[in-house]
Amino acid sequence: MRTFVLWARKAKTTANFSLDDLPGSGRMDLVCRCISNALCTADHLRKDTKIYVVLEGPPTPPITLLFDGTLIQQLDFDERNIAQHIQGALKGKTMMGVTVQKKSFEKVVRDLSKDSQLVCLHEKGEDLRLAPFTDNVTFIFGDFLGLPPKTETFLERLTAKRISLGSTSLFASHCITIVHNELDRRR
């Protein structure tokens, strides 16, 4: 299983955000692109992938969304459609493969560390192309703000391996695509 954990430190924790202004909703556009890139390919949904998004913006952080590719039946790749799924989940609507929990970033990662290899995407890590991965691997990354130093220390204590996608700083959603490409090529 491939798992991604995005810490969206500004994304709103309420369904009361504008579908017409996703960037102004704590960068909900970035969240939607990450979900799309984690789960959607040109012709199907990835059934071997999950993405957790920890929303830390106002008014009631943290809220964790889980989009589980093993359970989702239909998900269009566009930002607006995914934002509608997020709004529905935050309003309490039951949707197959989408869950909402009142869970912190640290709790999500700690829980995943029990059954999965933890990998922190970091510009100063080992090259992605040279790193070995287990069948159950979790890739952890931040939004446009990145991960704070104390979080990097927390991940080090959990023995998360630092992996680099190169020396160029990339958009969070692009990181997911590059990771998928590398793991797909290894199959």
Side-chain angles (χ1 to χ4, degrees):
M1 176 65 63
R2 295 177 194 175
T3 303
F4 295 92
V5 178
L6 168 64
W7 192 10
R9 293 169 48 197
K10 295 290 184 183
K12 292 191 176 181
T13 56
T14 176
N16 188 20
F17 62 85
S18 172
L19 293 174
D20 296 322
D21 186 18
L22 296 176
S25 299
R27 295 304 314 267
M28 197 59 77
D29 59 321
L30 178 151
V31 169
C32 295
R33 279 194 300 277
C34 286
I35 293 168
S36 176
N37 288 357
L39 297 175
C40 301
T41 68
D43 58 358
H44 68 280
L45 288 173
R46 290 183 179 271
K47 296 297 183 182
D48 64 345
T49 303
K50 296 179 183 179
I51 181 167
Y52 291 82
V53 180
V54 182
L55 308 174
E56 286 281 349
T60 57
I63 299 289
T64 296
L65 302 169
L66 168 58
F67 280 69
D68 186 340
T70 64
L71 301 173
I72 293 174
Q73 299 298 314
Q74 174 67 32
L75 184 71
D76 291 332
F77 68 90
D78 65 283
E79 291 176 23
R80 189 178 185 90
N81 178 271
I82 292 171
Q84 288 171 328
H85 275 75
I86 292 170
Q87 280 184 331
L90 291 172
K91 288 178 181 175
K93 181 179 176 185
T94 302
M95 290 180 282
M96 182 80 96
V98 182
T99 58
V100 177
Q101 301 172 324
K102 185 79 173 151
K103 196 183 257 193
S104 71
F105 172 82
E106 289 82 5
K107 176 74 170 132
V108 169
V109 172
R110 206 174 286 113
D111 289 350
L112 289 168
S113 73
K114 296 172 187 170
D115 301 320
S116 183
Q117 175 189 10
L118 295 182
V119 174
C120 175
L121 297 180
H122 194 285
E123 291 172 7
K124 295 180 181 169
E126 180 182 347
D127 189 323
L128 171 73
R129 293 184 176 156
L130 303 176
F133 299 110
T134 63
D135 288 336
N136 289 323
V137 59
T138 297
F139 295 90
I140 302 160
F141 58 107
D143 60 7
F144 64 99
L145 297 173
L147 297 175
K150 76 175 193 171
T151 300
E152 290 182 11
T153 302
F154 163 74
L155 294 171
E156 286 173 15
R157 283 196 312 268
L158 290 177
T159 66
K161 185 175 193 147
R162 280 186 174 184
I163 297 296
S164 173
L165 305 181
S167 59
T168 303
S169 185
L170 302 170
F171 292 120
S173 59
H174 294 175
C175 294
I176 294 169
T177 302
I178 292 169
V179 168
H180 269 315
N181 178 259
E182 178 63 25
L183 296 181
D184 289 348
R185 292 169 61 94
R186 292 183 186 194
R187 280 195 190 149

PDB file of all heavy atoms in Angstrom, residues 133-156:
ATOM      1  N   PHE A 133      12.385   0.618  -0.820  1.00  0.00           N
ATOM      2  CA  PHE A 133      11.095   0.820  -0.157  1.00  0.00           C
ATOM      3  C   PHE A 133      10.427  -0.523   0.085  1.00  0.00           C
ATOM      4  O   PHE A 133      10.570  -1.446  -0.719  1.00  0.00           O
ATOM      5  CB  PHE A 133      10.163   1.692  -1.009  1.00  0.00           C
ATOM      6  CG  PHE A 133      10.707   3.065  -1.264  1.00  0.00           C
ATOM      7  CD1 PHE A 133      11.124   3.438  -2.529  1.00  0.00           C
ATOM      8  CD2 PHE A 133      10.798   3.989  -0.237  1.00  0.00           C
ATOM      9  CE1 PHE A 133      11.636   4.704  -2.771  1.00  0.00           C
ATOM     10  CE2 PHE A 133      11.313   5.255  -0.470  1.00  0.00           C
ATOM     11  CZ  PHE A 133      11.725   5.613  -1.735  1.00  0.00           C
ATOM     12  N   THR A 134       9.687  -0.606   1.175  1.00  0.00           N
ATOM     13  CA  THR A 134       8.900  -1.803   1.464  1.00  0.00           C
ATOM     14  C   THR A 134       7.584  -1.720   0.692  1.00  0.00           C
ATOM     15  O   THR A 134       7.271  -0.700   0.074  1.00  0.00           O
ATOM     16  CB  THR A 134       8.609  -1.914   2.970  1.00  0.00           C
ATOM     17  OG1 THR A 134       7.817  -0.786   3.371  1.00  0.00           O
ATOM     18  CG2 THR A 134       9.900  -1.960   3.783  1.00  0.00           C
ATOM     19  N   ASP A 135       6.806  -2.794   0.742  1.00  0.00           N
ATOM     20  CA  ASP A 135       5.510  -2.794   0.063  1.00  0.00           C
ATOM     21  C   ASP A 135       4.537  -1.809   0.702  1.00  0.00           C
ATOM     22  O   ASP A 135       3.692  -1.245   0.023  1.00  0.00           O
ATOM     23  CB  ASP A 135       4.895  -4.194   0.072  1.00  0.00           C
ATOM     24  CG  ASP A 135       5.630  -5.141  -0.866  1.00  0.00           C
ATOM     25  OD1 ASP A 135       6.281  -4.656  -1.813  1.00  0.00           O
ATOM     26  OD2 ASP A 135       5.546  -6.356  -0.645  1.00  0.00           O
ATOM     27  N   ASN A 136       4.642  -1.626   2.009  1.00  0.00           N
ATOM     28  CA  ASN A 136       3.821  -0.644   2.727  1.00  0.00           C
ATOM     29  C   ASN A 136       4.705   0.537   3.071  1.00  0.00           C
ATOM     30  O   ASN A 136       5.536   0.458   3.968  1.00  0.00           O
ATOM     31  CB  ASN A 136       3.219  -1.241   4.004  1.00  0.00           C
ATOM     32  CG  ASN A 136       2.144  -2.246   3.702  1.00  0.00           C
ATOM     33  OD1 ASN A 136       1.375  -2.089   2.764  1.00  0.00           O
ATOM     34  ND2 ASN A 136       2.086  -3.310   4.489  1.00  0.00           N
ATOM     35  N   VAL A 137       4.503   1.628   2.350  1.00  0.00           N
ATOM     36  CA  VAL A 137       5.353   2.801   2.540  1.00  0.00           C
ATOM     37  C   VAL A 137       4.487   4.048   2.639  1.00  0.00           C
ATOM     38  O   VAL A 137       3.492   4.185   1.923  1.00  0.00           O
ATOM     39  CB  VAL A 137       6.407   2.917   1.410  1.00  0.00           C
ATOM     40  CG1 VAL A 137       5.761   3.027   0.050  1.00  0.00           C
ATOM     41  CG2 VAL A 137       7.374   4.059   1.664  1.00  0.00           C
ATOM     42  N   THR A 138       4.858   4.928   3.558  1.00  0.00           N
ATOM     43  CA  THR A 138       4.140   6.180   3.781  1.00  0.00           C
ATOM     44  C   THR A 138       5.072   7.351   3.508  1.00  0.00           C
ATOM     45  O   THR A 138       6.136   7.456   4.122  1.00  0.00           O
ATOM     46  CB  THR A 138       3.626   6.261   5.230  1.00  0.00           C
ATOM     47  OG1 THR A 138       2.694   5.193   5.452  1.00  0.00           O
ATOM     48  CG2 THR A 138       2.942   7.592   5.500  1.00  0.00           C
ATOM     49  N   PHE A 139       4.659   8.224   2.587  1.00  0.00           N
ATOM     50  CA  PHE A 139       5.424   9.408   2.224  1.00  0.00           C
ATOM     51  C   PHE A 139       4.798  10.621   2.910  1.00  0.00           C
ATOM     52  O   PHE A 139       3.605  10.889   2.735  1.00  0.00           O
ATOM     53  CB  PHE A 139       5.440   9.607   0.708  1.00  0.00           C
ATOM     54  CG  PHE A 139       6.155   8.498  -0.009  1.00  0.00           C
ATOM     55  CD1 PHE A 139       5.477   7.374  -0.445  1.00  0.00           C
ATOM     56  CD2 PHE A 139       7.521   8.586  -0.233  1.00  0.00           C
ATOM     57  CE1 PHE A 139       6.142   6.346  -1.088  1.00  0.00           C
ATOM     58  CE2 PHE A 139       8.195   7.561  -0.875  1.00  0.00           C
ATOM     59  CZ  PHE A 139       7.504   6.435  -1.307  1.00  0.00           C
ATOM     60  N   ILE A 140       5.601  11.343   3.669  1.00  0.00           N
ATOM     61  CA  ILE A 140       5.131  12.464   4.475  1.00  0.00           C
ATOM     62  C   ILE A 140       5.708  13.756   3.908  1.00  0.00           C
ATOM     63  O   ILE A 140       6.909  13.832   3.630  1.00  0.00           O
ATOM     64  CB  ILE A 140       5.586  12.283   5.938  1.00  0.00           C
ATOM     65  CG1 ILE A 140       5.057  10.949   6.481  1.00  0.00           C
ATOM     66  CG2 ILE A 140       5.143  13.459   6.799  1.00  0.00           C
ATOM     67  CD1 ILE A 140       5.804  10.452   7.695  1.00  0.00           C
ATOM     68  N   PHE A 141       4.855  14.762   3.761  1.00  0.00           N
ATOM     69  CA  PHE A 141       5.324  16.039   3.220  1.00  0.00           C
ATOM     70  C   PHE A 141       4.394  17.155   3.669  1.00  0.00           C
ATOM     71  O   PHE A 141       3.294  16.923   4.161  1.00  0.00           O
ATOM     72  CB  PHE A 141       5.434  15.983   1.695  1.00  0.00           C
ATOM     73  CG  PHE A 141       4.146  15.645   0.986  1.00  0.00           C
ATOM     74  CD1 PHE A 141       3.458  16.618   0.298  1.00  0.00           C
ATOM     75  CD2 PHE A 141       3.630  14.364   1.020  1.00  0.00           C
ATOM     76  CE1 PHE A 141       2.279  16.327  -0.356  1.00  0.00           C
ATOM     77  CE2 PHE A 141       2.445  14.060   0.370  1.00  0.00           C
ATOM     78  CZ  PHE A 141       1.767  15.042  -0.315  1.00  0.00           C
ATOM     79  N   GLY A 142       4.872  18.368   3.496  1.00  0.00           N
ATOM     80  CA  GLY A 142       4.102  19.532   3.900  1.00  0.00           C
ATOM     81  C   GLY A 142       3.553  20.281   2.706  1.00  0.00           C
ATOM     82  O   GLY A 142       3.866  19.980   1.558  1.00  0.00           O
ATOM     83  N   ASP A 143       2.737  21.265   3.009  1.00  0.00           N
ATOM     84  CA  ASP A 143       2.195  22.136   1.976  1.00  0.00           C
ATOM     85  C   ASP A 143       3.234  23.189   1.600  1.00  0.00           C
ATOM     86  O   ASP A 143       4.437  22.974   1.809  1.00  0.00           O
ATOM     87  CB  ASP A 143       0.880  22.771   2.442  1.00  0.00           C
ATOM     88  CG  ASP A 143       1.040  23.621   3.702  1.00  0.00           C
ATOM     89  OD1 ASP A 143       2.179  23.855   4.164  1.00  0.00           O
ATOM     90  OD2 ASP A 143       0.008  24.067   4.232  1.00  0.00           O
ATOM     91  N   PHE A 144       2.811  24.324   1.118  1.00  0.00           N
ATOM     92  CA  PHE A 144       3.744  25.369   0.693  1.00  0.00           C
ATOM     93  C   PHE A 144       4.583  25.923   1.842  1.00  0.00           C
ATOM     94  O   PHE A 144       5.604  26.552   1.615  1.00  0.00           O
ATOM     95  CB  PHE A 144       2.990  26.510  -0.019  1.00  0.00           C
ATOM     96  CG  PHE A 144       2.024  27.247   0.868  1.00  0.00           C
ATOM     97  CD1 PHE A 144       2.378  28.449   1.436  1.00  0.00           C
ATOM     98  CD2 PHE A 144       0.766  26.733   1.125  1.00  0.00           C
ATOM     99  CE1 PHE A 144       1.500  29.134   2.259  1.00  0.00           C
ATOM    100  CE2 PHE A 144      -0.128  27.409   1.940  1.00  0.00           C
ATOM    101  CZ  PHE A 144       0.245  28.613   2.512  1.00  0.00           C
ATOM    102  N   LEU A 145       4.180  25.661   3.089  1.00  0.00           N
ATOM    103  CA  LEU A 145       4.956  26.102   4.248  1.00  0.00           C
ATOM    104  C   LEU A 145       6.025  25.091   4.654  1.00  0.00           C
ATOM    105  O   LEU A 145       6.907  25.400   5.441  1.00  0.00           O
ATOM    106  CB  LEU A 145       4.025  26.352   5.447  1.00  0.00           C
ATOM    107  CG  LEU A 145       3.000  27.465   5.268  1.00  0.00           C
ATOM    108  CD1 LEU A 145       2.043  27.496   6.455  1.00  0.00           C
ATOM    109  CD2 LEU A 145       3.691  28.803   5.093  1.00  0.00           C
ATOM    110  N   GLY A 146       5.936  23.881   4.129  1.00  0.00           N
ATOM    111  CA  GLY A 146       6.890  22.843   4.503  1.00  0.00           C
ATOM    112  C   GLY A 146       6.620  22.286   5.888  1.00  0.00           C
ATOM    113  O   GLY A 146       5.567  22.515   6.478  1.00  0.00           O
ATOM    114  N   LEU A 147       7.582  21.544   6.393  1.00  0.00           N
ATOM    115  CA  LEU A 147       7.476  20.967   7.735  1.00  0.00           C
ATOM    116  C   LEU A 147       8.356  21.757   8.694  1.00  0.00           C
ATOM    117  O   LEU A 147       9.512  22.022   8.379  1.00  0.00           O
ATOM    118  CB  LEU A 147       7.904  19.501   7.731  1.00  0.00           C
ATOM    119  CG  LEU A 147       7.058  18.552   6.884  1.00  0.00           C
ATOM    120  CD1 LEU A 147       7.679  17.158   6.872  1.00  0.00           C
ATOM    121  CD2 LEU A 147       5.622  18.509   7.359  1.00  0.00           C
ATOM    122  N   PRO A 148       7.831  22.108   9.865  1.00  0.00           N
ATOM    123  CA  PRO A 148       8.647  22.841  10.838  1.00  0.00           C
ATOM    124  C   PRO A 148       9.789  21.976  11.379  1.00  0.00           C
ATOM    125  O   PRO A 148       9.691  20.739  11.386  1.00  0.00           O
ATOM    126  CB  PRO A 148       7.669  23.186  11.955  1.00  0.00           C
ATOM    127  CG  PRO A 148       6.329  22.747  11.525  1.00  0.00           C
ATOM    128  CD  PRO A 148       6.472  21.894  10.325  1.00  0.00           C
ATOM    129  N   PRO A 149      10.880  22.602  11.864  1.00  0.00           N
ATOM    130  CA  PRO A 149      12.015  21.844  12.403  1.00  0.00           C
ATOM    131  C   PRO A 149      11.618  20.860  13.513  1.00  0.00           C
ATOM    132  O   PRO A 149      12.140  19.749  13.550  1.00  0.00           O
ATOM    133  CB  PRO A 149      12.948  22.927  12.938  1.00  0.00           C
ATOM    134  CG  PRO A 149      12.631  24.130  12.106  1.00  0.00           C
ATOM    135  CD  PRO A 149      11.151  24.044  11.817  1.00  0.00           C
ATOM    136  N   LYS A 150      10.707  21.238  14.390  1.00  0.00           N
ATOM    137  CA  LYS A 150      10.337  20.309  15.475  1.00  0.00           C
ATOM    138  C   LYS A 150       9.614  19.080  14.915  1.00  0.00           C
ATOM    139  O   LYS A 150       9.724  17.994  15.468  1.00  0.00           O
ATOM    140  CB  LYS A 150       9.520  21.001  16.562  1.00  0.00           C
ATOM    141  CG  LYS A 150       8.095  21.285  16.233  1.00  0.00           C
ATOM    142  CD  LYS A 150       7.371  21.858  17.443  1.00  0.00           C
ATOM    143  CE  LYS A 150       5.874  21.837  17.195  1.00  0.00           C
ATOM    144  NZ  LYS A 150       5.085  22.150  18.338  1.00  0.00           N
ATOM    145  N   THR A 151       8.916  19.244  13.797  1.00  0.00           N
ATOM    146  CA  THR A 151       8.262  18.098  13.159  1.00  0.00           C
ATOM    147  C   THR A 151       9.308  17.186  12.521  1.00  0.00           C
ATOM    148  O   THR A 151       9.189  15.967  12.587  1.00  0.00           O
ATOM    149  CB  THR A 151       7.245  18.575  12.105  1.00  0.00           C
ATOM    150  OG1 THR A 151       6.268  19.379  12.776  1.00  0.00           O
ATOM    151  CG2 THR A 151       6.573  17.414  11.416  1.00  0.00           C
ATOM    152  N   GLU A 152      10.327  17.776  11.928  1.00  0.00           N
ATOM    153  CA  GLU A 152      11.403  16.962  11.374  1.00  0.00           C
ATOM    154  C   GLU A 152      12.088  16.153  12.477  1.00  0.00           C
ATOM    155  O   GLU A 152      12.429  14.984  12.275  1.00  0.00           O
ATOM    156  CB  GLU A 152      12.400  17.846  10.631  1.00  0.00           C
ATOM    157  CG  GLU A 152      11.815  18.413   9.345  1.00  0.00           C
ATOM    158  CD  GLU A 152      12.798  19.258   8.559  1.00  0.00           C
ATOM    159  OE1 GLU A 152      14.004  19.259   8.886  1.00  0.00           O
ATOM    160  OE2 GLU A 152      12.354  19.902   7.594  1.00  0.00           O
ATOM    161  N   THR A 153      12.251  16.751  13.649  1.00  0.00           N
ATOM    162  CA  THR A 153      12.828  16.028  14.792  1.00  0.00           C
ATOM    163  C   THR A 153      11.913  14.889  15.214  1.00  0.00           C
ATOM    164  O   THR A 153      12.372  13.772  15.491  1.00  0.00           O
ATOM    165  CB  THR A 153      13.066  17.004  15.971  1.00  0.00           C
ATOM    166  OG1 THR A 153      13.941  18.040  15.525  1.00  0.00           O
ATOM    167  CG2 THR A 153      13.664  16.293  17.166  1.00  0.00           C
ATOM    168  N   PHE A 154      10.606  15.140  15.272  1.00  0.00           N
ATOM    169  CA  PHE A 154       9.615  14.108  15.597  1.00  0.00           C
ATOM    170  C   PHE A 154       9.722  12.941  14.610  1.00  0.00           C
ATOM    171  O   PHE A 154       9.732  11.773  15.008  1.00  0.00           O
ATOM    172  CB  PHE A 154       8.210  14.732  15.573  1.00  0.00           C
ATOM    173  CG  PHE A 154       7.087  13.747  15.495  1.00  0.00           C
ATOM    174  CD1 PHE A 154       6.724  12.995  16.598  1.00  0.00           C
ATOM    175  CD2 PHE A 154       6.377  13.584  14.310  1.00  0.00           C
ATOM    176  CE1 PHE A 154       5.678  12.079  16.521  1.00  0.00           C
ATOM    177  CE2 PHE A 154       5.331  12.682  14.221  1.00  0.00           C
ATOM    178  CZ  PHE A 154       4.982  11.923  15.338  1.00  0.00           C
ATOM    179  N   LEU A 155       9.836  13.243  13.313  1.00  0.00           N
ATOM    180  CA  LEU A 155       9.940  12.198  12.310  1.00  0.00           C
ATOM    181  C   LEU A 155      11.244  11.411  12.433  1.00  0.00           C
ATOM    182  O   LEU A 155      11.262  10.197  12.236  1.00  0.00           O
ATOM    183  CB  LEU A 155       9.797  12.799  10.907  1.00  0.00           C
ATOM    184  CG  LEU A 155       8.416  13.381  10.589  1.00  0.00           C
ATOM    185  CD1 LEU A 155       8.447  14.145   9.268  1.00  0.00           C
ATOM    186  CD2 LEU A 155       7.359  12.305  10.573  1.00  0.00           C
ATOM    187  N   GLU A 156      12.319  12.096  12.785  1.00  0.00           N
ATOM    188  CA  GLU A 156      13.596  11.414  13.007  1.00  0.00           C
ATOM    189  C   GLU A 156      13.481  10.421  14.162  1.00  0.00           C
ATOM    190  O   GLU A 156      14.023   9.320  14.091  1.00  0.00           O
ATOM    191  CB  GLU A 156      14.700  12.425  13.295  1.00  0.00           C
ATOM    192  CG  GLU A 156      15.161  13.194  12.074  1.00  0.00           C
ATOM    193  CD  GLU A 156      16.136  14.309  12.415  1.00  0.00           C
ATOM    194  OE1 GLU A 156      16.690  14.334  13.537  1.00  0.00           O
ATOM    195  OE2 GLU A 156      16.340  15.185  11.547  1.00  0.00           O
TER     196      GLU A 156
END
